[in-house]
Amino acid sequence: GYIYEELLRRFSEQSGEEAGEHFTPREVIRLMVELLAIPIPDRHLSIYDPACGTGGMLSVAQEYLAELNPDATLEVFGQELNEESYAICKSDMMLKGQDPENVKFGNSFTHDGLPDDTFHYCISNPPFGVEWKTAAPAIKAEHEARGYAGRFGAGLPRINDGSLLFLQHMISKMKQPEDGGSRVAIVFNGSPLFTGAAGSGESEIRRWIIENDWLEAVVAMPDQLFYNTGIFTYLWIVTNRKPKRRRGKIQLINAVSLFQKMRKSLGQKRHELSEEHIAQVTRIYGEFHQSEYSKIFDNEDFGFRKIRVERPLRLKFQVTPERIEALRAVKAFENLATSKKKKGSKAAQAEIEEGRRQQEAIVGLLQAYRPDDVYMDREAFVDGLKASAAEQGIKLAAPVLKAILATFSERDEEAEVCQDRDLNPEPDPELRDYEEVPLKEDVQEYFAREVLPHVPDAWIDEEATKIGYEIPLNRHFYQYTPPRPLEEIEADIKEVEKDIVQMLAEVTG
């Protein structure tokens, strides 16, 4: 098996295949099956891989589940996009006594080969960070037309990473809880844990999964574990039949240090899981309590409200010759002397001439202001400007007035607060900020403690509040390492300086 995988690795490198597209290390599959098979609910089981490649995951799962429960019968199902991989997988299933018709060809997203089937288990290692541009029309159409009745109702991730589409697809293949439910194990890179701000497709997918209490555990795996990528990977365990003690909880397991170095590397695979490491991770998962490697959280611990903090717009106004000249170049002001009528016609020429007269009248109106006068209240400045324009019979259209206010204003903390039509403070987009408030914390209490002491005039735009979810696994296991004493660092710098001086002496001497 390993010889076969090494051949696959070499050929996939030559053909530029994506990371993890064909094969997953067998010890990783064994760990996934261990975590999936606790407990085994039935004697007749089914397992499905929507990106089955050459069938390695399904084969190892079949063999290992037979070891765990010799009386259990496992029927395997899969779908594969690559023609050669599909052919190998189908042949492999045939040789192992499985029904080859259970393996379907095609894109799982656009042409689901098993649309009406559900399974006891789903297991997959989909390609990492692969864009889904070619499948986008079909996926977006299903998302918009069917919503939660389809596979992608929760949301769509960014176009350059379809990982969470695979998970949504696999969740759609879970049996209903009243029929025994299902368990899902999937390999991800770090992106699905935290990519995407509140309200984004990724965050909404995480929210849907966590608020439905389906995410059971996330296991952080060592790096350099896969054949053609050295990145850290994460196992997600998702189920709609959590045992009672796990309901409302999510377990994070930090297994990044649980590996042994290989005697000979295979591509980028330099680390492997021993039987002891698999047993240790499984035991940590099964014991389900806090430890050096395990942390347990409430579902709500991963949610937050993203609030928009607004501060009032404060503008002062000053009419100077330089700003008057700048107004002439503003599009709204220039448009006064243009015409949509037929170019060169008398009507067009008349409109242009009338526009130029308006421009000069407005410039004359503004030149009446003294350059040294500063207006600290926008409402007072606007009222005075309109009154002067009315006295002189000058029309100030809304676009022109907006251009004047933008040209002759600047922000000033001492100026009066600008107000909207309802006399509410107008927010300043340049001072806008965002805060993330944990779901378990009262927003107003957080705001009073963390924001108002620094900016007393701030307020929350309630309509802009969004709920987000992320899983900062590495942050929860971070251990602070203090820097070395300054004396040691200074001694090292002096040694390096000595070496540099010696080398320069050799060159110049």
Side-chain angles (χ1 to χ4, degrees):
Y2 279 116
I3 293 172
Y4 176 59
E5 288 168 4
E6 171 63 4
L7 290 172
L8 274 177
R9 180 189 68 79
R10 294 188 182 188
F11 284 122
S12 68
E13 283 181 352
Q14 292 174 15
S15 61
E17 297 290 356
E18 300 292 345
E21 182 153 318
H22 281 305
F23 44 89
T24 306
R26 295 183 172 219
E27 75 271 18
V28 176
I29 304 173
R30 289 176 74 88
L31 174 59
M32 294 172 75
V33 174
E34 281 272 19
L35 299 177
L36 278 181
I38 303 174
I40 296 177
D42 304 305
R43 291 184 178 275
H44 178 77
L45 305 170
S46 58
I47 190 167
Y48 168 68
D49 183 349
C52 62
T54 55
M57 274 201 160
L58 297 174
S59 296
V60 175
Q62 180 185 1
E63 296 164 5
Y64 198 39
L65 277 176
E67 293 177 21
L68 293 171
N69 186 352
D71 296 327
T73 58
L74 180 69
E75 190 174 10
V76 303
F77 297 81
Q79 185 159 347
E80 173 55 32
L81 177 62
N82 181 280
E83 292 179 349
E84 291 83 357
S85 302
Y86 162 72
I88 294 171
C89 180
K90 200 157 186 171
S91 302
D92 192 33
M93 294 302 107
M94 193 182 302
L95 289 170
K96 292 182 177 176
Q98 292 287 341
D99 183 355
E101 293 304 312
N102 289 350
V103 180
K104 306 297 182 181
F105 175 70
N107 189 315
S108 300
F109 298 152
T110 56
H111 299 94
D112 184 1
L114 300 158
D116 302 317
D117 292 302
T118 56
F119 310 95
H120 295 100
Y121 299 111
C122 295
I123 187 170
S124 190
N125 174 22
F128 302 149
V130 175
E131 71 172 31
W132 47 281
K133 198 170 188 178
T134 55
I139 292 171
K140 289 179 179 177
E142 180 173 339
H143 169 72
E144 293 167 3
R146 302 195 61 196
Y148 286 99
R151 295 171 294 169
F152 311 114
L156 302 178
R158 60 197 62 196
I159 202 77
N160 61 1
D161 188 356
S163 299
L164 285 169
L165 293 176
F166 278 100
L167 183 52
Q168 287 190 90
H169 172 70
M170 293 165 78
I171 288 173
S172 76
K173 299 299 184 182
M174 294 197 302
K175 292 182 178 294
Q176 294 299 315
E178 55 268 24
D179 297 327
S182 301
R183 294 177 63 78
V184 173
I186 187 168
V187 182
F188 280 149
N189 62 9
S191 178
L193 291 170
F194 50 79
T195 299
S200 67
E202 293 91 345
S203 179
E204 287 299 291
I205 296 167
R206 287 191 294 267
R207 178 181 179 182
W208 174 64
I209 293 169
I210 293 174
E211 289 187 350
N212 277 289
D213 199 20
W214 292 334
L215 183 58
E216 185 171 273
V218 179
V219 182
M221 303 293 286
D223 64 343
Q224 301 178 63
L225 200 59
F226 289 76
Y227 297 106
N228 52 356
T229 179
I231 64 173
F232 286 98
T233 53
Y234 302 82
L235 302 184
W236 288 39
I237 307 299
V238 176
T239 181
N240 59 356
R241 56 177 179 86
K242 280 187 181 181
K244 188 174 182 180
R245 63 177 182 154
R246 288 184 178 269
R247 289 173 191 165
K249 306 286 185 182
I250 296 172
Q251 183 179 16
L252 303 184
I253 298 175
N254 182 24
V256 295
S257 62
L258 304 180
F259 66 87
Q260 64 186 22
K261 287 193 173 292
M262 298 176 64
R263 286 178 296 177
K264 179 175 171 50
S265 63
L266 295 173
Q268 295 189 50
K269 179 173 174 58
R270 299 176 180 89
H271 299 157
E272 63 183 358
L273 305 177
S274 67
E275 291 291 337
E276 291 74 21
H277 293 130
I278 294 172
Q280 185 177 357
V281 174
T282 306
R283 184 172 62 253
I284 293 167
Y285 165 81
E287 289 173 349
F288 189 61
H289 61 64
Q290 302 277 5
S291 71
E292 176 187 357
Y293 299 104
S294 170
K295 293 187 183 297
I296 297 166
F297 299 89
D298 296 332
N299 289 346
E300 293 80 10
D301 289 330
F302 299 104
F304 60 90
R305 292 182 182 88
K306 185 175 183 179
I307 61 172
R308 188 160 81 187
V309 178
E310 300 283 16
R311 293 184 61 194
L313 179 65
R314 298 175 184 268
L315 297 174
K316 70 177 181 181
F317 294 81
Q318 190 172 8
V319 182
T320 63
E322 294 80 13
R323 290 182 177 180
I324 291 174
E325 286 304 309
L327 178 66
R328 294 182 182 275
V330 177
K331 192 71 175 176
F333 189 81
E334 287 182 337
N335 286 343
L336 288 173
T338 60
S339 174
K340 293 183 179 180
K341 291 183 168 56
K342 184 178 180 181
K343 189 174 181 180
S345 66
K346 290 184 178 179
Q349 191 61 34
E351 271 194 4
I352 292 171
E353 290 176 1
E354 175 59 27
R356 287 173 180 164
R357 282 192 290 270
Q358 287 184 36
Q359 288 176 332
E360 294 309 312
I362 293 171
V363 168
L365 174 68
L366 293 168
Q367 287 174 338
Y369 283 83
R370 291 188 301 180
D372 295 333
D373 289 347
V374 178
Y375 301 84
M376 303 297 283
D377 187 330
R378 185 180 69 177
E379 280 63 38
F381 178 75
V382 171
D383 290 343
L385 184 65
K386 286 182 176 179
S388 298
E391 288 177 6
Q392 299 180 37
I394 300 171
K395 182 181 177 182
L396 292 177
V400 175
L401 179 60
K402 184 177 179 181
I404 291 173
L405 295 181
T407 303
F408 296 98
S409 66
E410 64 180 277
R411 285 167 171 79
D412 190 310
E413 292 184 359
E414 302 299 323
E416 294 295 324
V417 173
C418 299
Q419 297 178 327
D420 60 20
R421 292 180 180 178
D422 299 323
L423 301 181
N424 295 317
E426 186 176 323
D428 185 345
E430 291 190 7
L431 298 178
R432 182 172 293 153
D433 202 359
Y434 294 88
E435 294 281 335
E436 293 184 357
V437 184
L439 284 183
K440 287 185 172 181
E441 186 162 357
D442 182 85
V443 171
Q444 294 302 329
E445 289 180 4
Y446 176 95
F447 186 70
R449 184 183 72 248
E450 301 291 341
V451 179
L452 289 181
H454 308 288
V455 280
D457 58 357
W459 73 91
I460 300 172
D461 183 352
E462 301 287 353
E463 294 183 358
T465 298
K466 295 179 180 179
I467 293 179
Y469 278 82
E470 64 178 12
I471 307 169
L473 187 148
N474 294 334
R475 186 196 309 164
H476 290 301
F477 288 99
Y478 172 75
Q479 293 183 343
Y480 173 70
T481 303
R484 293 185 301 156
L486 288 175
E487 294 77 14
E488 288 186 18
I489 298 173
E490 186 178 8
D492 286 348
I493 292 173
K494 287 181 178 178
E495 286 296 322
V496 172
E497 287 177 344
K498 287 179 183 178
D499 292 342
I500 293 173
V501 170
Q502 184 178 348
M503 286 188 288
L504 286 173
E506 290 175 0
V507 172
T508 57

